[in-house]
Amino acid sequence: MSTLFGQAANTGGGTGNTTGDISKDVALTSPPDDGISDVKFSPQSEHLAVASWDKKVRIYEINAQGGSEGKALFEHEQPVLSCCWSKDGTKVVGAGADRAARMMDLGSGNTTTAQQVAAHDAPIRCARFVDIPSQASQMLVTGSWDKTVKYWDLRQSTAVATVQCQERVYSIDVMNTLLVVATADRYIDIINLSEPAKFYKTMQSPLKWQTRVVTCFNDGSGFAVGSIEGRCAIQYVEEKDSRCVFMGNGLSKKRRRENLVNLPKPDDSANFSFKCHRSQASTNNTNVYSVNAISFHPQHGTFSTAGSDGTFHFWDKDAKHRLKGYPEVGGSISSTDFDRTGNIFAYAVSYDWSKGYSANTPNLPNKVMLHAVQPDECKPRPKAGGRK
């Protein structure tokens, strides 16, 4: 049967095989010349924005055969650390070490220049478009190492609101009215966008080491956290949502041992953490790698993790189950994203600075790979019971 990228469907032996295939993954044409910090698909079309340390944001068009073509590019004055799309897919924003966020309006036909739309006193680590219930149009939110989160009306030159955080902002994500801000010292600030200028809740990360990434669930009821210590945590915002009953998932005992993250107990909490992105170095030693990226499948609600070990995995949080694990791709994975249909999974193979400046050698790869998602890879496994 013909599938995405023109390949015959290959599920690797059906649902019993938990090792995925990357042999048919396609490389993006003309990738950045330096480290890749962020990749984001348009919510409206098959276009991919790529932010990089060569001070550029590039926009590519992806076709059904996995081919790609550069369509637009704009520059910053320093490395770009984040990029994002507006909801209507007409605007792309980059944010970075030049302490500025810059926006290109693709709807106007512009493909080479961007206007500055935000500024901070230190590098901007993250930027996202948000819908504020009291506002008629989308706004931009930026999180910076100056320990602030700022909201921007794109028609104005100054921030309309500023929220002071406890520490430098490392990661932010938004879904519906949920905005999650992760900072240094393991703080996680939760904001209800109905009241965007204050914290709804503040908590310490459930993980014991530095936070690398936070990503919201598709329904906005919670978020996933990844740390430098090869761990991921699933966290619901409200306590009532974290109460659940697991009744098993119909897997054999052998499959349970291989893939269940934490064997669930009756009335177990849906808040949990698990080890990932680790390898056994010897009998008594384990190599531990950073979890750099977490992405949720837009249709199924399952999610991916990717890390410094150069691997990515797909997981089912409700069943506490690993769906697929993939071979090492030849370098650290710095960023990932699913396209709007969930049929394409993009992952950036690029140095993630986890070993410092001295380890950033010229021979390290900088590429973006496109993985055609097969039906069995991200679909939740059938289970006798589930989250109540």
Side-chain angles (χ1 to χ4, degrees), residues 22 69 84 97 114 143 218 227-228 243 252 258 265 267 284 321 360:
I22 60 172
E69 181 182 0
C84 63
N218 291 348
S227 78
I228 63 170
R243 293 193 297 267
S252 68
E258 290 175 348
K265 301 174 183 178
D267 300 317
N284 298 318
H321 171 76
N360 186 24

Side-chain angles (χ1 to χ4, degrees), residues 102-160:
R102 304 176 192 275
M103 183 183 74
M104 174 179 282
D105 185 354
L106 297 171
S108 68
N110 176 28
T111 60
T112 57
T113 58
Q115 68 175 113
Q116 183 170 337
V117 292
H120 280 260
D121 295 329
I124 302 175
R125 181 62 185 88
C126 315
R128 294 287 186 273
F129 279 94
V130 294
D131 289 306
I132 308 294
S134 60
Q135 299 294 318
S137 59
Q138 270 202 310
M139 300 181 72
L140 183 71
V141 61
T142 51
S144 169
W145 291 345
D146 66 7
K147 305 180 183 180
T148 66
V149 167
K150 294 185 178 184
Y151 299 91
W152 305 87
D153 184 326
L154 300 177
R155 299 165 296 184
Q156 302 178 21
S157 60
T158 57
V160 298

Side-chain angles (χ1 to χ4, degrees), residues 11 23 33 36 38-40 49-50 114 128 133 137 140 162 182 188 205 215 293 317 327 330 342 354 363 376:
T11 61
S23 65
D33 301 321
I36 300 166
D38 203 9
V39 295
K40 285 288 184 294
V50 179
R128 294 287 186 273
S137 59
L140 183 71
T162 300
I188 295 179
S205 169
T215 305
K317 69 178 176 61
S354 59
N363 62 329
D376 76 306

Side-chain angles (χ1 to χ4, degrees), residues 1-13 20-28 62-67 312 326-327 329 343-345 347 367-374 377:
M1 181 176 66
S2 178
T3 60
L4 192 69
F5 299 178
Q7 302 292 339
N10 179 7
T11 61
D21 181 16
I22 60 172
S23 65
K24 296 180 177 63
D25 292 2
V26 178
L28 198 68
I62 314 298
N63 63 37
Q65 288 72 45
F312 63 92
Y326 295 80
V329 298
N343 291 331
I344 305 174
F345 178 71
Y347 57 95
K367 59 183 180 179
V368 177
M369 302 300 295
L370 304 174
H371 176 79
V373 180
Q374 302 297 333
E377 292 183 292

Side-chain angles (χ1 to χ4, degrees), residues 42-350:
S42 165
Q44 297 296 332
S45 62
E46 298 309 322
H47 289 83
L48 179 70
V50 179
S52 58
W53 280 71
D54 62 3
K55 309 177 187 178
K56 297 178 177 68
V57 177
R58 295 169 171 84
I59 294 94
Y60 300 84
E61 184 176 25
I62 314 298
N63 63 37
Q65 288 72 45
S68 54
E69 181 182 0
K71 289 295 185 179
L73 175 150
F74 64 91
E75 296 198 36
H76 280 246
E77 296 175 2
Q78 295 292 334
V80 190
L81 305 178
S82 179
C83 60
C84 63
W85 292 81
S86 62
K87 183 169 61 177
D88 64 4
T90 64
K91 299 175 180 65
V92 180
V93 166
D98 57 0
R99 304 179 295 176
R102 304 176 192 275
M103 183 183 74
M104 174 179 282
D105 185 354
L106 297 171
S108 68
N110 176 28
T111 60
T112 57
T113 58
Q115 68 175 113
Q116 183 170 337
V117 292
H120 280 260
D121 295 329
I124 302 175
R125 181 62 185 88
C126 315
R128 294 287 186 273
F129 279 94
V130 294
D131 289 306
I132 308 294
S134 60
Q135 299 294 318
S137 59
Q138 270 202 310
M139 300 181 72
L140 183 71
V141 61
T142 51
S144 169
W145 291 345
D146 66 7
K147 305 180 183 180
T148 66
V149 167
K150 294 185 178 184
Y151 299 91
W152 305 87
D153 184 326
L154 300 177
R155 299 165 296 184
Q156 302 178 21
S157 60
T158 57
V160 298
T162 300
V163 183
Q164 186 68 43
C165 300
Q166 302 86 349
E167 254 293 351
R168 292 154 291 166
V169 176
Y170 284 167
S171 181
I172 66 175
D173 199 30
V174 63
M175 181 58 68
N176 302 331
T177 58
L178 173 67
L179 174 64
V180 182
V181 181
T183 76
D185 289 348
R186 299 173 43 248
Y187 286 103
I188 295 179
D189 297 314
I190 299 167
I191 296 174
N192 182 340
L193 290 173
S194 298
E195 298 181 287
K198 67 178 185 179
F199 296 144
Y200 176 69
K201 285 184 178 181
T202 294
M203 60 180 289
Q204 291 287 139
S205 169
L207 306 178
K208 296 179 180 179
W209 296 87
Q210 177 182 305
T211 303
R212 283 286 289 168
V213 60
V214 291
T215 305
C216 295
F217 303 165
N218 291 348
D219 63 1
S221 64
F223 51 91
V225 187
S227 78
I228 63 170
E229 189 227 354
R231 279 184 181 270
C232 180
I234 298 298
Q235 185 73 39
Y236 284 84
V237 173
E238 304 294 349
E239 184 179 353
K240 63 180 177 61
D241 293 327
S242 70
R243 293 193 297 267
C244 62
V245 178
F246 287 98
M247 301 297 291
N249 60 3
L251 297 175
S252 68
K253 289 182 180 180
K254 181 175 183 292
R255 289 285 309 288
R256 282 175 177 270
R257 286 195 300 270
E258 290 175 348
N259 296 307
L260 283 180
V261 181
N262 285 323
L263 205 57
K265 301 174 183 178
D267 300 317
D268 197 7
S269 173
N271 293 333
F272 66 98
S273 65
F274 60 95
K275 297 176 183 178
C276 53
H277 301 284
R278 300 180 175 212
S279 63
Q280 200 69 37
S282 64
T283 304
N284 298 318
N285 294 292
T286 301
N287 291 326
V288 178
Y289 300 90
S290 172
V291 179
N292 294 330
I294 299 172
S295 301
F296 279 86
H297 191 281
Q299 310 300 329
H300 300 311
T302 52
F303 68 100
S304 65
T305 62
S308 296
D309 60 341
T311 70
F312 63 92
H313 304 263
F314 295 152
W315 310 84
D316 181 345
K317 69 178 176 61
D318 295 331
K320 297 185 177 181
H321 171 76
R322 191 184 73 159
L323 300 171
K324 289 281 185 181
Y326 295 80
E328 203 272 332
V329 298
S332 299
I333 300 178
S334 57
S335 181
T336 63
D337 198 27
F338 287 100
D339 78 326
R340 61 197 172 115
T341 65
N343 291 331
I344 305 174
F345 178 71
Y347 57 95
V349 184
S350 184

